[in-house]
């Protein structure tokens, strides 16, 4: 291919791609696009903290005191706020220790690549998040075994296969490691990994367990402590990955687990060693979020009340809202064009809710995914529900 063709092909791809809406406000219950207010029905700010005054204040004070930049953690970038944030997250999650990274994506990469080598074995749910898939690729593991979504029978089959594979020792003579990895909450459907069964099987077959709690933190468990707390499995899941970009409304990722494992990550993880640390602003924000959540579960309660109300009303209208066990609320459309048209019509009415289509979900399973938040009042939700009702009837999704 000539260089000219290369760029021209890129151009064709770009033309058929999606251009995101540009937001000119903060992200509360509403946001502003093209000068118009839209109901914010699809961001992952579950607890409505993106514009929280307490967080703004904590960030301003920290930046006033320390500025913004930090550095590489192992060189000259470990700030006392990083240490405090790691301690706060470990305490919040009920784990021994935490390592902070600059994203959930990176945290997944660090969590897997650092401990899994070519000759180990990874067992993964077929619907795991792209960052887990990439993390497994990065580890270059040869034996990657996939099980059908949530299917514990198949997981056990894969574990039996893994046991067989373990009979061949690694080059250094040791036994290959088995790691089972799953999303905690699956972000397209809102369903939960059956963690108690996974932990039980892992014990039986001597496997390590890892859960990605991106959509569980701030949402599940007592006061939003996440999926491990939800199932009361403290200390029984080896690796918990979290993101600070969803309910926490900041940015960054982290891994929690036993202290020795976290110390190992801090010494060996390439994502930690060769990438800069969180800024002062982000780190101060994380500390404030944990403080807010430890003081009160009011926001988590509001999120769930809003979720129950929204889902009940949508179901009453005749919408299919899938099998979600979390605030993630898929409104099933099936057809991709229908989902896109539905979203455009909602937008015209003042509701921002993006369509989710292939490859994010399987063909024929297109949907509008609503994420309610603690920032929504009942009036906001009613406006959203009315809009869904109107468009639903117009497009004959409901009768
Ligand atoms: C959003 C998400 C991530 C990525 O987190 P970032 O902090 O945005 O990099 C990882 N895993 C899951 C399941 C997610 O939903």
């Amino acid at each position: 291919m000539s260089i000219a063709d290369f760029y021209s092909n890129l151009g064709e791809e770009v033309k058929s791609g999606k251009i995101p809406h540009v937001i000119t406000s903060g992200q509360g219950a509403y946001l502003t696009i093209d000068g118009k207010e839209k109901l914010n029905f699809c961001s992952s700010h579950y607890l409505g903290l993106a514009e929280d005054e307490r967080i703004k204040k904590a960030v301003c004070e920290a930046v006033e005191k320390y500025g913004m930049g930090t550095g590489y953690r192992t060189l000259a970038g470990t700030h006392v706020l990083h240490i405090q944030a790691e301690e706060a997250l470990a305490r919040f999650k009920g784990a021994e220790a935490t390592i902070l990274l600059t994203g959930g994506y990176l945290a997944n990469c660090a969590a897997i690549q650092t401990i899994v080598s070519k000759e180990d074995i990874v067992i993964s749910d077929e619907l795991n998040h792209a960052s887990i898939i990439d993390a497994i690729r990065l580890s270059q593991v040869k034996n990657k075994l996939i099980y059908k979504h949530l299917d514990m029978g198949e997981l056990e089959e894969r574990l039996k296969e893994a046991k067989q594979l373990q009979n061949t020792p690694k080059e250094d003579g040791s036994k290959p490691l088995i790691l089972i990895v799953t999303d905690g909450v699956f972000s397209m459907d809102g369903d939960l990994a059956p963690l108690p069964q996974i932990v039980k099987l892992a014990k039986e077959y001597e496997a390590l367990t890892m859960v990605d709690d991106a959509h569980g933190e701030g949402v599940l468990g007592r006061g939003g402590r996440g999926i491990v707390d939800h199932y009361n499995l403290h200390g029984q899941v080896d690796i918990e990955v979290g993101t600070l970009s969803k309910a926490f409304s900041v940015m960054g990722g982290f891994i929690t687990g036993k202290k020795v494992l976290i110390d190992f990550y801090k010494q060996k993880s390439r994502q930690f060693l060769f990438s800069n640390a969180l800024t002062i602003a982000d780190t101060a924000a994380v500390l404030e979020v944990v403080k807010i959540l430890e003081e009160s579960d009011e926001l988590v309660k509001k999120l769930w009340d809003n979720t129950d109300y929204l889902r009940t009303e949508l179901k009453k209208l005749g919408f299919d809202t899938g099998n979600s066990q979390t605030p993630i609320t898929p409104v099933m459309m099936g057809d991709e064009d229908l989902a896109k048209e539905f979203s455009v019509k909602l937008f015209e009415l003042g509701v921002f809710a993006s369509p989710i289509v292939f490859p994010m979900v399987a063909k024929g399973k297109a949907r509008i995914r609503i994420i309610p938040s603690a920032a929504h009042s009942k009036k906001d939700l009613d406006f959203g529900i009315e809009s869904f009702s109107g468009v639903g009837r117009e497009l004959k999704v409901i009768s």
Side-chain angles (χ1 to χ4, degrees), residues 44 102-108 128-132 183-187 212-215 241-246 251-253 369:
S44 308
T102 47
Y105 184 108
L106 280 181
N108 271 327
N128 276 344
H129 191 259
S131 58
I132 295 179
D183 275 22
V185 177
F186 289 84
S187 53
D212 176 349
D213 202 22
H215 288 273
V241 167
T243 173
L244 303 169
S245 68
K246 307 275 161 62
M251 72 162 290
R369 184 182 63 168

Side-chain angles (χ1 to χ4, degrees), residues 162-393:
K163 274 280 165 208
Q164 286 297 319
L165 290 165
Q166 265 187 330
N167 289 335
T168 311
K170 306 207 304 196
E171 242 172 51
D172 65 5
S174 69
K175 201 157 98 172
L177 189 71
I178 306 174
L179 171 70
I180 305 172
V181 52
T182 182
D183 275 22
V185 177
F186 289 84
S187 53
M188 295 304 153
D189 290 292
D191 47 351
L192 295 188
L195 219 45
Q197 285 103 302
I198 293 175
V199 165
K200 186 164 166 278
L201 284 168
K203 281 184 188 152
E204 212 174 307
Y205 289 86
E206 286 188 89
L208 280 176
T209 46
M210 166 171 158
V211 66
D212 176 349
D213 202 22
H215 288 273
E217 272 121 18
V219 176
L220 294 172
R222 288 167 304 141
R225 282 168 174 73
I227 192 164
V228 168
D229 190 87
H230 169 82
Y231 283 123
N232 206 9
L233 288 169
H234 303 276
Q236 297 188 64
V237 176
D238 294 287
I239 305 161
E240 262 187 273
V241 167
T243 173
L244 303 169
S245 68
K246 307 275 161 62
F248 279 54
S249 297
V250 189
M251 72 162 290
F254 61 99
I255 312 171
T256 57
K258 290 199 195 316
K259 185 167 181 305
V260 60
L261 176 69
I262 301 305
D263 285 345
F264 184 78
Y265 283 134
K266 284 184 179 168
Q267 291 188 6
K268 303 280 186 193
S269 151
R270 299 175 69 77
Q271 292 74 10
F272 189 76
L273 299 179
F274 302 115
S275 189
N276 202 80
L278 279 187
T279 64
I280 293 293
D282 294 307
T283 317
V286 173
L287 271 164
E288 188 63 22
V289 173
V290 176
K291 184 160 166 261
I292 290 169
L293 292 180
E294 285 183 334
E295 272 167 14
S296 159
D297 62 358
E298 180 195 345
L299 290 174
V300 180
K301 283 219 173 95
K302 176 101 185 287
L303 168 67
W304 281 96
D305 285 348
N306 282 350
T307 300
D308 292 340
Y309 179 71
L310 174 74
R311 208 123 73 204
T312 307
E313 295 303 311
L314 287 174
K315 273 188 191 149
K316 267 196 222 158
L317 287 169
F319 285 107
D320 172 3
T321 56
N323 299 313
S324 176
Q325 295 160 274
T326 62
I328 291 169
T329 302
V331 182
M332 304 312 257
M333 301 287 151
D335 183 70
E336 310 227 325
D337 291 335
L338 178 61
K340 286 180 192 158
E341 196 184 354
F342 204 106
S343 171
V344 169
K345 289 199 179 281
L346 284 174
F347 196 74
E348 284 162 5
L349 292 177
V351 177
F352 183 37
S354 306
I356 307 267
V357 297
F358 182 80
M360 284 193 284
V361 293
K363 289 222 164 84
K365 297 239 169 139
R367 68 203 57 188
I368 309 277
R369 184 182 63 168
I370 309 177
I371 302 187
S373 88
H376 291 125
S377 67
K378 185 155 170 294
K379 193 164 148 261
D380 301 331
L381 295 174
D382 282 337
F383 168 56
I385 293 160
E386 268 164 42
S387 308
F388 264 81
S389 170
V391 177
R393 266 192 278 273

